[in-house]
Amino acid sequence: MVDLTNLQQDLINNGFTIVDEVFTCNEVKVLIDIIDNTDQSGIVFRKTDDLFAIRRFFIEVPGIYSLVFNDRLRSVIKSLFGNDYFVVKSIYFDKPGKSNWFVAWHQDLTISVDKKIDLPGYGPCTIKPNQYAVQPPITILEDNFTVRIHLDDTDEGNGALKVIPGSHLKGIYRTESIDWNTEVENVCNVKAGGVMIMRPLLMHASSRTTTNKKRRVVHIEFSRYSLPDGINWAEKASY
């Protein structure tokens, strides 16, 4: 049985937590099969030697939504966050076994919206395929959360996230301000079928792959905020 008290304390104090065995081996295989058999010719499919990514994942991969939100995942989310949140962004990341792709230390400071518009407290705005990314007021970022579903065993050798526990409590935390004399890096090893839950302001990074093992992750962002008149969430959906 999952110890929800410990998970909640992890999120409050560290900005992340890990839950094992949310998906069975068979459920993971079904998800991978559906993704592999999806038409990948659209502009939201990014393919390079180092990375395969699907933006607007739930929109572009029909039928997978109900499989992702199985009873166990729904139970964990509702137990930790209540019933007010909804999905606002979904991405699939496939880091191939020979990938040299790495991600430098950063926070997730933007949300995905349906159009570019000038609003107080929102900006700057960048354009991505079929959607726009904008930095919202920090109150939204502090309240949002992300679920990362792991389809492969993941450790530092194939690009597991590295995080700085507690960095989500420091507001906008610039990379050049990191004091490695006091900060401690934590590698988030997650087994296939497990999930990592994190706050967007948690400082995180990932290394290059060194073990020739794939790292496939479904990344889902949640919010409970209504955006100002004139813009909408790019992918708003209940779960």
Side-chain angles (χ1 to χ4, degrees):
M1 181 176 293
V2 175
D3 187 337
L4 291 173
T5 300
N6 282 345
L7 298 184
Q8 289 167 336
Q9 286 303 309
D10 284 345
L11 283 166
I12 292 169
N13 297 330
N14 298 322
F16 73 99
T17 194
I18 294 170
V19 188
D20 295 322
E21 298 179 351
V22 177
F23 295 84
T24 66
C25 293
N26 185 63
E27 287 172 328
V28 169
K29 183 181 184 303
V30 169
L31 292 174
I32 291 172
D33 287 345
I34 292 174
I35 294 165
D36 287 347
N37 287 291
T38 297
D39 179 3
Q40 300 171 1
S41 60
I43 62 171
V44 298
F45 293 80
R46 175 185 171 189
K47 285 186 175 183
T48 69
D49 290 339
D50 288 325
L51 174 68
F52 170 48
I54 307 173
R55 297 188 183 278
R56 304 193 316 166
F57 176 65
F58 288 136
I59 295 173
E60 301 298 331
V61 186
I64 206 163
Y65 196 88
S66 61
L67 300 176
V68 167
F69 286 103
N70 65 15
D71 289 343
R72 289 180 294 282
L73 182 60
R74 290 175 189 271
S75 176
V76 169
I77 293 173
K78 291 186 177 182
S79 295
L80 291 174
F81 300 101
N83 298 310
D84 296 334
Y85 284 85
F86 42 84
V87 174
V88 294
K89 184 176 181 179
S90 58
I91 310 175
Y92 169 72
F93 292 110
D94 178 351
K95 192 172 187 176
K98 296 183 179 180
S99 174
N100 281 321
W101 174 60
F102 72 97
V103 179
W105 288 103
H106 70 287
Q107 297 170 302
D108 292 337
L109 297 179
T110 64
I111 58 173
S112 293
V113 296
D114 64 339
K115 64 173 66 70
K116 182 177 181 180
I117 188 171
D118 292 326
L119 290 171
Y122 288 77
C125 185
T126 57
I127 300 175
K128 296 185 178 181
N130 285 12
Q131 63 187 23
Y132 297 86
V134 64
Q135 184 169 325
I138 194 170
T139 50
I140 294 180
L141 297 174
E142 289 172 335
D143 193 62
N144 286 4
F145 69 92
T146 298
V147 171
R148 291 171 58 87
I149 302 167
H150 288 250
L151 305 182
D152 299 289
D153 291 344
T154 306
D155 56 27
E156 190 170 18
N158 64 339
L161 281 195
K162 301 180 292 184
V163 303
I164 300 177
S167 54
H168 67 300
L169 301 173
K170 299 184 178 184
I172 306 300
Y173 192 20
R174 301 300 180 189
T175 307
E176 59 271 18
S177 300
I178 299 175
D179 182 358
W180 289 111
N181 291 315
T182 58
E183 301 289 17
V184 177
E185 175 185 301
N186 187 96
V187 178
C188 300
N189 299 330
V190 186
K191 293 289 188 181
V195 304
M196 176 183 177
I197 304 171
M198 59 183 281
R199 293 293 189 179
L201 292 178
L202 180 71
M203 187 70 77
H204 57 286
S206 69
S207 300
R208 292 179 173 88
T209 297
T210 59
T211 57
N212 291 329
K213 295 179 180 179
K214 294 171 71 70
R215 190 213 70 179
R216 290 167 289 189
V217 173
V218 178
H219 171 110
I220 314 167
E221 298 179 15
F222 297 78
S223 185
R224 56 180 170 181
Y225 271 81
S226 297
L227 297 178
D229 290 342
I231 59 171
N232 295 297
W233 295 101
E235 300 178 56
K236 184 176 179 179
S238 58
Y239 66 89

